[in-house]
Amino acid sequence: EITTHTHEREAELVYVLAGQAAMTMGEDTFPLIAGSSLLIPAGVPHSVYNDGTVDFEIIAVHTPPVR
């Protein structure tokens, strides 16, 4: 589980490698499964919860880079 947090300057692109999870972004919740992606704009609160039975694996790209 990744608790609710915000990146004030960085947008985040999440690409799911394995597993499934529920991603909350602002007031909305989206299902994420292997092969899906989601763009989280800068300043939007978000969290993710593994609601599957296997490890949830992602690649996350931040732009501009987190310092």
Side-chain angles (χ1 to χ4, degrees):
E1 178 177 2
I2 299 174
T3 58
T4 302
H5 63 285
T6 303
H7 306 280
E8 293 302 326
R9 295 179 356 111
E10 306 88 19
E12 181 177 6
L13 175 65
V14 175
Y15 178 78
V16 182
L17 298 171
Q20 68 182 44
M23 169 72 76
T24 299
M25 191 169 73
E27 297 294 320
D28 299 313
T29 300
F30 304 91
L32 292 178
I33 59 171
S36 65
S37 61
L38 182 68
L39 178 64
I40 305 163
V44 175
H46 57 284
S47 62
V48 65
Y49 175 78
N50 182 346
D51 61 357
T53 58
V54 299
D55 289 341
F56 180 63
E57 300 176 18
I58 65 168
I59 294 174
V61 178
H62 296 252
T63 184
V66 177
R67 298 184 190 265

